Amino acid sequence: MVRIALALAVAGAAALELGFARGGGVTEAAYLPSNGTSVVVMDFSYSITGSSYRLIVNALRKIAASGNPVGLIGFSDVAYELLPPGTPARELEPVARRFIPLPARHGELRFPSSPWSGLQGGTRISTGLRLADDSLQREGVGKASVILISDLETASEDASSVVDAVASLQRHGYSLHLIGLDPTPPSLHFFEGLAGKAAFVREKSLAASVKHPGSSGLLSGQTPWAFLLGAALLAALLAVNEQWCGDLDLSGLRMRA
């Protein structure tokens, strides 16, 4: 009975430790379908303020963690294809790192120099959505999600074009997901009416810091206490099992044989 109880305890501790180990990585974006392509449409026309950079970094890393092939469109008043649909998901990490602030004094936000400074200008969201649609059609992609990361502020004369671009995405069977970066109420209401409230990714799901896939909590300065305590419990149970449960006495079986 002691052997059985200890064996069950060791198995339970090992399963718990495995759960801690698997939970230490990046959780993929649950709103993305499996076995599809994810095209990120990023607004480069605004200045990053407040906690927006965290939402951008975490969104990109969760999209990458889903493992789907990706594409990347950058836009301001014009749009550019930075990564074509079908690109390996890991290629989003260098983009995510561009939105991680550099060490600076007095708590000011200072980011790496942007290779996309030429994109910063006015804002026409329709150009990004339309290029994402065209890229997916060009590559013959049938199942895809388009993720718009933007403050959702577009030029007033662009509104009708945005409506047409969203309609085209829906007509081709592509789902649209919106990550709003502190949008104003009018812009928020416009896109809610256009794509529905369900299209918005909840900010709460992107607020927690996300490490680079494969990075170690110990190396990043975040000690995984749950994992360490689980390892200690497993080691203690194995030690108790070794101390209390020696080799089975099989002498009686050998004598009968």
Side-chain angles (χ1 to χ4, degrees):
M1 294 298 294
V2 172
R3 288 181 185 275
I4 293 174
L6 282 174
L8 291 175
V10 169
L16 184 65
E17 186 70 350
L18 179 61
F20 286 145
R22 296 184 64 181
V26 178
T27 302
E28 68 274 10
Y31 51 85
L32 297 178
S34 58
N35 302 320
T37 298
S38 304
V39 176
V40 179
V41 179
M42 291 197 63
D43 185 347
F44 288 126
S45 65
Y46 61 92
S47 298
I48 301 171
T49 59
S51 61
S52 294
Y53 71 90
R54 292 190 182 92
L55 298 180
I56 296 171
V57 173
N58 292 347
L60 290 175
R61 285 181 170 174
K62 286 193 173 188
I63 292 168
S66 70
N68 294 340
V70 301
L72 177 63
I73 304 295
F75 74 92
S76 57
D77 50 0
V78 294
Y80 296 88
E81 185 180 70
L82 303 176
L83 296 174
T87 299
R90 63 178 178 273
E91 297 301 325
L92 285 180
E93 176 56 26
V95 180
R97 286 200 295 265
R98 292 286 179 177
F99 294 94
I100 298 176
L102 300 171
R105 296 179 180 179
H106 310 300
E108 62 182 11
L109 291 179
R110 186 169 64 88
F111 294 89
S113 57
S114 173
W116 310 295
S117 57
L119 289 178
Q120 295 174 337
T123 307
R124 291 181 179 273
I125 293 178
S126 66
T127 61
L129 296 177
R130 191 179 300 114
L131 182 54
D133 192 11
D134 291 344
S135 298
L136 290 167
Q137 288 292 295
R138 182 194 67 218
E139 299 296 332
V141 178
K143 186 177 182 181
S145 297
V146 175
I147 305 99
L148 173 63
I149 303 178
S150 171
D151 58 4
L152 305 181
E153 299 285 339
T154 194
S156 57
E157 63 271 16
D158 187 49
S160 61
S161 297
V162 171
V163 173
D164 293 340
V166 171
S168 180
L169 287 170
Q170 295 172 342
R171 186 168 59 252
H172 293 140
Y174 303 139
S175 60
L176 176 63
H177 307 275
L178 306 170
I179 298 176
L181 305 176
D182 298 322
T184 61
S187 297
L188 182 62
H189 294 156
F190 172 71
F191 276 93
E192 284 179 347
L194 186 60
K197 291 184 178 181
F200 281 81
V201 179
R202 292 186 303 167
E203 184 173 325
K204 183 178 179 181
S205 68
L206 300 174
S209 296
V210 178
K211 297 180 295 182
H212 173 243
S215 67
S216 167
L218 289 172
L219 294 178
S220 63
Q222 301 174 358
T223 304
W225 291 111
F227 179 82
L228 295 178
L229 290 174
L233 174 63
L234 181 59
L237 287 172
L238 289 173
V240 171
N241 182 73
E242 184 69 20
Q243 180 68 26
W244 287 7
C245 303
D247 294 337
L248 287 173
D249 185 3
L250 302 178
S251 58
L253 294 176
R254 286 196 292 267
M255 290 178 63
R256 290 180 184 180

